[in-house]
Amino acid sequence: MMTMLDVQQVGDRARQIHEAITNHPQYGRLTTSSMKYSPCWATYTGFPTISKWDLDTDNEPLLHEALRVLAIKAAVFELTGGDEVTAELLVPDPVDEMIHAVLAQFTVMTTLQADLGVQFPHATELEKFTYTLGCPTDQYYAAAGWGVPPQRYWLDSTVVEQRLAVLNQLYESVGIGVDGRSHNIDFDTLPAGTTPARVG
């Protein structure tokens, strides 16, 4: 269960942090480099749960959502005196994956933290993939003045589970294991230069 802070206080501080990020001289580099990271962050379990997902058109909106979440998490972290557990907010899988892409820009994020005097907490061992619509994360988001999170990306965990079940059936049909964690494709036995329609 998430600890609930004063919603408006978190929202106001998150908005301030977000504005500071977007006004920082390194903002352009952060956004450009995060989206160039796309070959590394196309996974099997987060982004593909978005209906008719397209890496080229969904990356920018997802980036905006990731930066908003990072601002909220930084606000919670600051207002709780550095409580990582409370700051590890519930976030939908697709947005969480984009957060990883942003945090991979280590040099820029380190500069932002130093210049803005904030920390962007993220601890994978504390992550829980049980985001539900209307949870405290949504309330902080609204209090920051950003309205209702776009439902295309802010998928309830029950919806994610249903879509993953569909995806895993499709993955299995081409020899890919559950959640894309394994496959039975033997590249050494395939003729050079061939792309089989079905493997396994």
Side-chain angles (χ1 to χ4, degrees):
M1 182 115 180
M2 290 179 64
T3 301
M4 192 68 183
L5 303 176
D6 181 276
V7 172
Q8 197 57 56
Q9 188 180 18
V10 173
D12 289 344
R13 184 61 183 130
R15 185 176 61 256
Q16 292 169 1
I17 293 170
H18 186 265
E19 288 173 357
I21 294 170
T22 58
N23 290 326
H24 192 277
Q26 291 287 306
Y27 176 70
R29 180 183 175 193
L30 175 64
T31 56
T32 302
S33 57
S34 294
M35 287 191 281
K36 280 185 178 176
Y37 188 66
S38 59
C40 301
W41 50 249
T43 70
Y44 290 87
T45 59
F47 295 132
T49 61
I50 299 169
S51 185
K52 293 187 174 180
W53 170 61
D54 186 322
L55 190 63
D56 294 328
T57 56
D58 286 313
N59 60 3
E60 189 171 350
L62 277 165
L63 176 63
H64 291 311
E65 295 310 305
L67 292 176
R68 287 175 172 178
V69 170
L70 283 168
I72 297 170
K73 290 175 66 172
V76 171
F77 189 74
E78 179 181 293
L79 293 169
T80 57
D83 184 341
E84 275 191 288
V85 174
T86 303
E88 196 56 55
L89 303 174
L90 297 180
V91 180
D93 293 39
V95 177
D96 182 70
E97 286 192 357
M98 191 63 187
I99 288 170
H100 288 207
V102 173
L103 293 176
Q105 312 316 313
F106 182 76
T107 305
V108 179
M109 293 304 289
T110 300
T111 300
L112 282 173
Q113 289 189 135
D115 290 353
L116 305 183
V118 299
Q119 283 187 273
F120 297 103
H122 190 77
T124 53
E125 79 273 17
L126 300 176
E127 285 184 308
K128 294 178 182 168
F129 298 100
T130 56
Y131 167 80
T132 55
L133 297 174
C135 73
T137 310
D138 286 8
Q139 296 175 47
Y140 298 146
Y141 187 103
W146 300 322
V148 178
Q151 300 304 289
R152 174 168 174 75
Y153 307 116
W154 288 71
L155 301 172
D156 190 280
S157 58
T158 58
V159 173
V160 170
E161 288 176 12
Q162 291 166 0
R163 293 183 181 185
L164 278 177
V166 172
L167 287 168
N168 277 318
Q169 287 182 337
L170 295 171
Y171 295 155
E172 183 182 11
S173 73
V174 293
I176 297 174
V178 174
D179 295 343
R181 296 182 182 183
S182 66
H183 68 67
N184 61 15
I185 302 166
D186 185 350
F187 294 105
D188 295 330
T189 63
L190 297 176
T194 61
T195 306
R198 182 183 174 96
V199 180

